[in-house]
Amino acid sequence: MIEICFHGRGGQGAVGASKILASAFFEEGKQVQAFPSFGAERRGAPVRAFLRVSDKEIRRRSMIYRPDMAIILDATLLHDVGAGREVKDDGWLVVNTPEPPQSLHWLGRYRLAAVDADSIAERLGIGSRVMPHVNTTMLGAFARATGLVTMDALLRSIRDNIAARAEDNVAGALEAYEKLQTWSKNAD
């Protein structure tokens, strides 16, 4: 079983991202379980969403405390709430940041992937300048970094689950896939 945590701020699409990715994995024959975790304040407040993926039926019905990887929709959450620190050693952190992944060297126990999803989403008009919706863009980066889900399944899932501006979201996922940078402490 693979466990994934999404860290974002309300309005960035963390919950939607977990559903879209779950749909893509399901299309590829996997069993999935996706669920959110947020408080009463949602817009701009830290939000988490979770996804389990398995070849077998998922019977576990609990929070995810030690995921295999995390998708960080807002890099400030790395400092503000310690987002991603719960990930297992050598797990993936896929981070929305304009900085190269080497700049996150202090997170050296993880495999790091970085893409400037904010710029991509802003340029494509996904969300607003104040709160770009980076969820689908980050999913393209995740697909490239991990290789766990095909882009074909991901793009179909985006088209099936995004009502407005689906093709802009597809373009964002494809651009993030191409622009992704990765780094690992073992690569030096």
Side-chain angles (χ1 to χ4, degrees):
M1 181 173 352
I2 298 167
E3 295 180 318
I4 305 165
C5 182
F6 297 77
H7 290 275
R9 294 197 182 276
Q12 288 184 303
V15 174
S18 70
K19 291 178 183 178
I20 292 166
L21 190 55
S23 176
F25 275 118
F26 186 76
E27 180 182 321
E28 293 190 330
K30 303 292 186 186
Q31 297 294 307
V32 296
Q33 180 187 79
F35 52 98
S37 174
F38 47 79
E41 283 187 49
R42 291 181 39 185
R43 179 71 55 194
V47 172
R48 292 184 305 163
F50 302 94
L51 174 61
R52 287 191 174 102
V53 180
S54 180
D55 290 324
K56 300 176 184 175
E57 180 182 0
I58 300 171
R59 295 181 176 207
R60 188 173 298 162
R61 300 286 185 255
S62 66
M63 294 291 290
I64 296 173
Y65 298 101
R66 295 279 294 154
D68 300 291
M69 52 200 68
I71 299 173
I72 312 294
L73 304 180
D74 183 335
T76 64
L77 294 172
L78 292 168
H79 297 287
D80 293 354
V81 297
R85 293 197 181 148
E86 74 281 10
V87 172
K88 294 175 184 170
D89 287 353
D90 208 35
W92 276 105
L93 288 186
V94 183
V95 183
N96 172 15
T97 179
E99 302 300 322
Q102 303 88 299
S103 70
L104 302 172
H105 62 85
W106 53 276
L107 295 166
R109 68 180 208 176
Y110 307 113
R111 291 179 283 170
L112 301 168
V115 68
D116 188 358
D118 284 337
S119 292
I120 294 169
E122 285 174 18
R123 189 176 43 69
L124 293 171
I126 304 169
S128 68
R129 290 187 66 81
V130 174
M131 185 64 68
H133 294 181
V134 297
N135 56 355
T136 52
T137 305
M138 291 300 293
L139 293 179
F142 172 85
R144 172 119 185 240
T146 67
L148 293 173
V149 66
T150 66
M151 278 302 285
D152 287 341
L154 180 61
L155 299 180
R156 277 192 296 278
S157 182
I158 290 170
R159 288 181 175 111
D160 290 346
N161 289 285
I162 300 290
R165 305 191 67 162
E167 291 309 312
D168 291 331
N169 283 273
V170 163
L174 288 168
E175 187 173 338
Y177 184 92
E178 292 301 321
K179 291 185 173 179
L180 183 76
Q181 298 178 48
T182 60
W183 179 84
S184 171
K185 65 181 178 283
N186 300 326
D188 287 343

